[in-house]
Amino acid sequence: DQRDGLRRNMPPTFRSRWQEWTKEAADRMKEAQKDFVRKKIEFLERCCRTKPPPPVGPVLSQWEAAATKAPAEWGEESGVLQETKGDAAAKLRSEFRARQQALKQDEAFMAIQQCRDALPV
């Protein structure tokens, strides 16, 4: 266990202290590795325990169930942009224009708009 290096020229008292330090560092490293592996195993066990049970019988997945719905049944949660036509679209456009006109007086809003206009997109 006697390795050459710095310990070779050290006084005996300091040499033994040096060996204690290296042993403590090695022990801390082993303990940290064990703790890391322990936490990894706990995470994997928790993932396996929270995994939903496999479906029994012919059950459609969420995506298959959504695909079988008609577009009128999608609703707001579908994430699909619905087309707005007629009076509703005209109302939205006029509200947007009015909001833009009102915000043109706001300095912070105009500063943001100038920054947006300068973007290379």
Side-chain angles (χ1 to χ4, degrees):
D1 190 42
Q2 288 286 4
R3 288 184 241 149
D4 290 338
L6 285 176
R7 290 189 306 198
R8 182 174 52 178
N9 296 328
M10 292 181 187
T13 307
F14 194 71
R15 187 180 310 146
S16 65
R17 187 70 179 135
W18 184 271
Q19 288 173 338
E20 290 174 18
W21 289 338
T22 56
K23 185 179 180 325
E24 288 172 5
D27 291 343
R28 280 195 308 270
M29 178 62 119
K30 284 181 183 178
E31 214 37 57
Q33 288 174 338
K34 286 179 185 177
D35 190 45
F36 176 74
V37 170
R38 185 178 311 115
K39 287 181 180 180
K40 187 190 280 188
I41 290 172
E42 288 173 1
F43 172 76
L44 292 173
E45 285 178 345
R46 195 169 47 247
C47 286
C48 290
R49 276 193 228 117
T50 58
K51 190 175 182 181
V56 178
V59 177
L60 294 177
S61 72
Q62 176 186 4
W63 302 111
E64 291 170 332
T68 59
K69 284 185 177 181
E73 298 174 331
W74 288 346
E76 293 294 324
E77 74 280 352
S78 69
V80 176
L81 182 62
Q82 301 287 330
E83 281 191 33
T84 307
K85 298 178 183 176
D87 294 336
K91 182 181 174 189
L92 284 175
R93 279 193 223 91
S94 64
E95 288 175 0
F96 178 76
R97 278 191 220 108
R99 192 169 50 249
Q100 290 292 323
Q101 291 297 326
L103 287 173
K104 281 189 179 180
Q105 306 302 323
D106 187 14
E107 292 177 21
F109 176 76
M110 291 309 293
I112 291 171
Q113 292 304 313
Q114 289 173 353
C115 290
R116 280 183 70 198
D117 292 339
L119 290 174
V121 179

